[in-house]
């Protein structure tokens, strides 16, 4: 049997109880009330309920109309016929207007709700940071603390090192002393010093503290992408225009190995096979960029006299192929540099006179710039040192003649037979970076090397430094303190041996005002050893570079 459905004007909110379930109007449509009942019974019940509800609605409407009409009669004093007709008409209009007004109110409410929602979204978007701060007070407190402490972070941190023995290399050793480090520099050093509040304390009651070790002739960082050495440009015997910083690789694994062994600074030099190999630089062994590592550049120009250039260029049938050729290439280059420097001096003098006399300087033309001669001009003018690598006595004698001829500010590197002419070297005040010490196989240049070389040079009054022997492929970087121990074995005093790898090395390479000793104002480069650094059993415990523990 077909289910009867009633279509009518929607009457929302009307509920009817039929048996044990409700019948509801949804859009004016009567639906089934229960399961298991016959369709005709459901239709009969639905029809009766609708009729009852319709009769009740009619009665209510009539009562409302009658009440309003009676009130209008009394208030306006109209006749029965006129008042009742107008009341019926007005009430009919009201009954039609009320649903319309209700719909209008609902529409207005919806529009207002949309507007308020959009305004709220805009407010939240514009004030989101403030809203987040309100919801998360800790976040706001952290931001405030960072802004308040931003000026405080500019204040460098303080580290205090307590050690059993401190070798300053600038005075007597300090037993059970303290080093106060503020930022990158040493603030104070001594005994019984007041410890600043909030300082980080490193307590090493049995340890020895020294300045950071310095390798005075190194090729650290001069490697290519395959790890092959790249510290020599052999296309020409004179490549003075080259700068080692242009080829320095800060991530060379040997740099980390050097730091671990206590070496904090190195003089990076071109190799030994170019007659004039380029410009050297002093670098700290920490940093991700060359600028972070640089301490002094250029630190000097590297020259080489001996077998290296002979082998590199003589095998190609090119000059130099002899020791005479080595000296000639250097002499010729220095002579050209002297003339170049003279031209610039004349130009500067003429320019100064013209400005003083208020004359036109347009007619004065500067000399043509020459990148190869510029660093050599500084060498002949005494502004840069000449690092001359020489080993045999004949090579050392040739280097001495060049020093005398051009009045060079020179440093000798290697100087294996230096003890044979120690007096001549000392008379000219030429410092020597001594090496090798006879470890490993000997070359022709080092056949007559003596372990007493450093001691005999020092005794003659020569300021000496010691280098690691990695340049010669004879030893490891970790053995720099052992090179000093070998010098002690050859007769050099312990204090002088340690100076040769710290303060003396720093002064010879031109950085003695910044590093090399533990003094207030100097950079905080230091090494904490478990004991005497000259003892082969001693190990490195901590390394600090520029106030930073590595």
């Amino acid at each position: 049997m077909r289910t009867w459905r009633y279509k009518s004007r929607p009457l929302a909110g009307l509920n009817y109880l039929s048996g044990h379930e409700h019948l509801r109007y949804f859009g004016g449509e009567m639906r089934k009330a229960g399961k298991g009942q016959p369709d005709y019974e459901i239709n009969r019940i639905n029809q009766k309920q609708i009729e009852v509800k319709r009769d009740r609605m009619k009665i209510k409407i009539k009562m409302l109309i009658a009440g309003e009409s009676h009130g209008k009669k009394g208030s306006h004093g109209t006749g029965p016929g006129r008042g009742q007709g107008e009341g019926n008409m007005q009430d009919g209009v009201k009954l039609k207007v009320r649903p319309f007004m209700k719909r209008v109110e609902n529409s207005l409410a919806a529009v207002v709700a949309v507007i308020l929602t959009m305004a709220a979204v805009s407010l939240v978007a514009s004030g989101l940071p403030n809203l987040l701060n309100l919801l998360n007070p800790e976040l706001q407190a952290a931001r405030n603390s960072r802004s308040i402490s931003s000026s405080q972070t500019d204040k460098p941190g303080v580290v205090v090192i307590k050690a059993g023995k401190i070798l300053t290399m600038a005075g007597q050793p300090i037993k059970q002393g303290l080093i106060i480090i503020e930022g990158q520099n040493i603030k104070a050093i001594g005994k019984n010093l007041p410890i600043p509040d909030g300082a980080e304390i490193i307590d090493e009651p049995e340890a020895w503290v020294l300045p950071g070790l310095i390798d005075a002739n190194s090729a650290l960082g001069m490697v290519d992408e395959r790890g092959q050495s790249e510290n020599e440009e052999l296309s020409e015997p004179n490549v003075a225009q080259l700068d080692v910083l242009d080829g320095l690789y800060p991530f060379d694994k040997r740099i980390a190995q050097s730091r671990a062994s206590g070496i904090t600074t190195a003089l990076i030099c071109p190799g030994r096979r170019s007659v004039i190999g380029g410009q050297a630089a002093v670098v700290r062994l920490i940093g991700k960029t060359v600028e972070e590592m640089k301490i002094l550049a250029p630190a000097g120009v590297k020259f080489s006299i001996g077998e290296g250039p002979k082998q590199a260029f003589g095998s190609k049938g090119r000059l130099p192929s002899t020791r005479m050729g080595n000296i000639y290439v250097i002499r010729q280059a220095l002579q050209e540099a002297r003339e170049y420097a003279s031209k610039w001096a004349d130009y500067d003098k003429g320019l100064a006179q013209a400005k003083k006399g208020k004359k036109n300087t347009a007619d004065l033309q500067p000399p043509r710039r020459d990148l190869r001669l510029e660093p050599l001009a500084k060498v002949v003018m005494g502004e840069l040192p000449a690092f001359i690598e020489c080993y045999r006595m004949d090579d050392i004698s040739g280097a001495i003649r060049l020093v005398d001829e051009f009045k060079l500010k020179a440093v000798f590197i290697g100087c294996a037979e230096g003890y044979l002419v120690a007096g001549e070297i000392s008379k000219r005040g030429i410092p020597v970076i001594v090496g090798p010490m006879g470890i490993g196989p000997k070359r022709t240049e080092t056949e007559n090397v003596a372990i007493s070389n450093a001691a005999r040079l020092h005794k003659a009054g020569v300021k000496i430094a010691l280098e690691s022997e990695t340049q010669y492929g004879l030893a490891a970087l970790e053995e720099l303190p052992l090179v000093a121990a070998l010098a002690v074995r050859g007769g050099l005093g312990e204090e002088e041996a340690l100076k040769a790898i710290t303060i003396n090395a720093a002064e010879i390479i031109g950085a003695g005002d910044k590093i090399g000793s533990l003094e207030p104002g100097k950079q905080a480069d230091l090494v904490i050893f478990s004991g005497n650094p000259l003892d082969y059993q001693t190990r490195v415990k901590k390394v600090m570079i520029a106030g930073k523990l590595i």
Side-chain angles (χ1 to χ4, degrees):
M1 182 179 292
R2 186 177 60 185
T3 303
W4 180 86
R5 297 181 180 275
Y6 172 73
K7 299 288 184 178
S8 172
R9 180 190 180 101
L11 296 175
L14 297 180
N15 298 334
Y16 299 94
L17 187 62
S18 175
H20 61 281
E21 294 187 4
H22 287 283
L23 293 175
R24 296 177 182 269
Y25 274 107
F26 291 93
E29 182 176 86
M30 185 67 70
R31 295 182 180 177
K32 290 183 179 181
K35 295 181 180 180
Q37 292 178 310
D39 289 343
Y40 69 89
E41 184 179 350
I42 293 173
N43 291 340
R44 181 175 54 81
I45 294 172
N46 288 344
Q47 185 175 1
K48 287 183 178 181
Q49 288 176 344
I50 291 170
E51 290 175 354
V52 171
K53 186 60 181 179
R54 185 174 55 192
D55 292 340
R56 289 177 179 175
M57 290 296 295
K58 288 180 179 181
I59 293 171
K60 288 181 179 181
I61 292 172
K62 288 181 179 181
M63 291 176 64
L64 288 172
I65 294 173
E68 290 181 6
S69 299
H70 179 72
K72 289 176 183 178
K73 288 179 185 180
S75 60
H76 298 289
T78 56
R82 181 180 176 182
Q84 186 174 1
E86 289 182 357
N88 291 338
M89 184 180 298
Q90 292 175 359
D91 290 339
V93 172
K94 287 180 179 181
L95 286 174
K96 293 180 180 180
V97 170
R98 283 175 183 170
F100 172 76
M101 294 303 295
K102 187 64 175 179
R103 287 195 296 271
V104 172
E105 289 177 4
N106 292 338
S107 300
L108 289 175
V111 172
V112 171
V114 171
I115 294 173
L116 291 177
T117 301
M118 293 176 64
V121 170
S122 176
L123 180 62
V124 169
S126 61
L128 184 58
N130 294 329
L131 179 61
L132 292 176
N133 292 337
L134 292 174
L135 296 176
N136 192 348
E138 288 92 0
L139 179 61
Q140 176 64 17
R143 288 178 178 173
N144 292 338
S145 64
R146 284 197 297 269
S147 62
I148 292 172
S149 62
S150 60
S151 59
Q152 298 176 356
T153 56
D154 296 336
K155 186 177 180 180
V158 178
V159 178
V160 175
I161 298 176
K162 297 180 178 180
K165 194 170 186 178
I166 301 173
L167 303 181
T168 66
M169 298 295 119
Q172 294 299 316
I174 302 173
K175 293 184 178 181
Q176 300 302 324
L178 288 84
I179 306 174
I180 300 177
I181 299 159
E182 188 174 286
Q184 296 185 356
N185 298 323
I186 298 171
K187 184 177 181 181
I189 184 169
K191 293 174 67 70
N192 302 320
L193 298 175
I195 298 176
D197 293 337
E200 177 186 352
I201 298 176
I202 299 174
D203 195 359
E204 295 286 352
E206 304 297 328
W208 290 38
V209 179
L210 268 73
L213 307 184
I214 300 170
D215 191 355
N217 180 28
S218 175
L220 287 172
M222 302 300 292
V223 294
D224 62 13
E225 61 277 6
R226 298 169 298 171
Q228 301 296 319
S229 176
E230 203 175 43
N231 66 330
E232 295 175 318
E233 174 59 60
L234 300 177
S235 58
E236 296 289 340
N238 176 10
V239 286
Q241 69 273 23
L242 302 185
D243 187 341
V244 294
L245 291 184
D246 293 331
L248 186 66
Y249 180 53
F251 301 100
D252 181 0
K253 63 181 180 181
R254 297 181 303 162
I255 293 177
Q257 294 171 357
S258 300
R259 288 199 304 261
S261 67
I263 300 174
T264 59
T265 307
L267 175 70
I268 309 300
C269 290
R272 54 182 286 272
R273 295 192 294 169
S274 293
V275 180
I276 305 176
Q279 302 162 51
V282 179
V283 300
R284 62 177 60 90
L285 299 187
I286 187 173
K288 296 181 179 180
T289 66
V290 170
E291 289 303 316
E292 290 178 8
M293 298 176 70
K294 182 178 70 175
I295 295 177
L296 177 63
V301 176
K302 173 71 182 301
F303 299 81
S304 185
I305 303 173
E307 290 182 357
K310 282 176 51 181
Q311 294 170 354
F313 296 97
S315 61
K316 302 174 184 178
R318 299 181 56 187
L319 184 74
S321 59
T322 63
R323 281 178 164 79
M324 294 183 295
N326 290 340
I327 299 296
Y328 165 76
V329 170
I330 295 174
R331 180 178 283 116
Q332 180 66 28
L334 293 178
Q335 182 61 39
E336 292 175 2
R338 179 185 281 175
E339 295 172 359
Y340 181 76
S342 178
K343 290 179 182 179
W344 275 99
D346 292 343
Y347 169 75
D348 292 337
K349 183 178 179 180
L351 189 64
Q353 290 177 348
K355 289 182 178 179
K356 186 176 180 179
K358 297 182 180 180
K359 297 180 180 179
N360 186 10
T361 61
D363 295 336
L364 293 174
Q365 296 297 323
R368 184 175 179 273
R369 188 180 180 191
D370 190 317
L371 295 179
R372 177 154 49 186
L373 291 177
E374 273 187 8
L376 294 176
K378 293 180 180 180
V379 170
V380 296
M381 295 295 293
E383 298 175 11
L384 286 178
F387 291 101
I388 304 176
E389 189 165 358
C390 49
Y391 295 92
R392 285 192 353 180
M393 190 183 69
D394 50 358
D395 296 330
I396 297 171
S397 296
I400 290 175
R401 288 195 300 274
L402 290 172
V403 170
D404 292 344
E405 181 179 349
F406 292 96
K407 303 294 186 281
L408 301 178
K409 178 183 175 182
V411 176
F412 288 172
I413 296 176
C415 215
E417 296 181 7
Y419 60 91
L420 297 176
V421 286
E424 296 298 319
I425 296 172
S426 175
K427 184 168 61 178
R428 291 165 175 79
I430 301 172
V432 175
I433 300 172
V434 179
M437 298 299 295
I439 302 174
K442 293 181 174 62
R443 305 190 310 270
T444 302
E445 293 178 313
T446 61
E447 284 180 351
N448 297 321
V449 66
I451 197 172
S452 62
N453 188 25
R456 292 162 76 174
L457 286 168
H458 171 68
K459 186 176 180 180
V462 178
K463 177 179 282 190
I464 62 168
L466 298 172
E467 60 171 318
S468 69
E469 303 199 358
T470 55
Q471 282 281 64
Y472 317 110
L474 302 178
L477 288 163
E478 292 83 354
E479 296 177 6
L480 182 58
L482 295 184
V483 171
L486 286 172
V488 173
R489 177 68 178 83
L492 189 65
E494 286 192 11
E495 183 179 356
E496 288 302 321
L498 292 175
K499 283 184 176 181
I501 56 176
T502 55
I503 185 61
N504 282 5
E507 291 174 350
I508 288 173
I509 65 177
D513 59 331
K514 299 179 179 68
I515 56 174
S517 61
L518 301 179
E519 300 178 78
K522 281 196 172 183
Q523 185 171 293
D525 289 4
L526 55 86
V527 188
I528 301 176
F529 290 94
S530 62
N532 188 337
L534 300 178
D535 188 336
Y536 74 95
Q537 293 181 319
T538 296
R539 60 186 178 85
V540 174
K541 299 188 72 175
K542 291 182 176 66
V543 178
M544 176 178 283
I545 301 179
K548 181 180 179 181
L549 282 172
I550 306 303

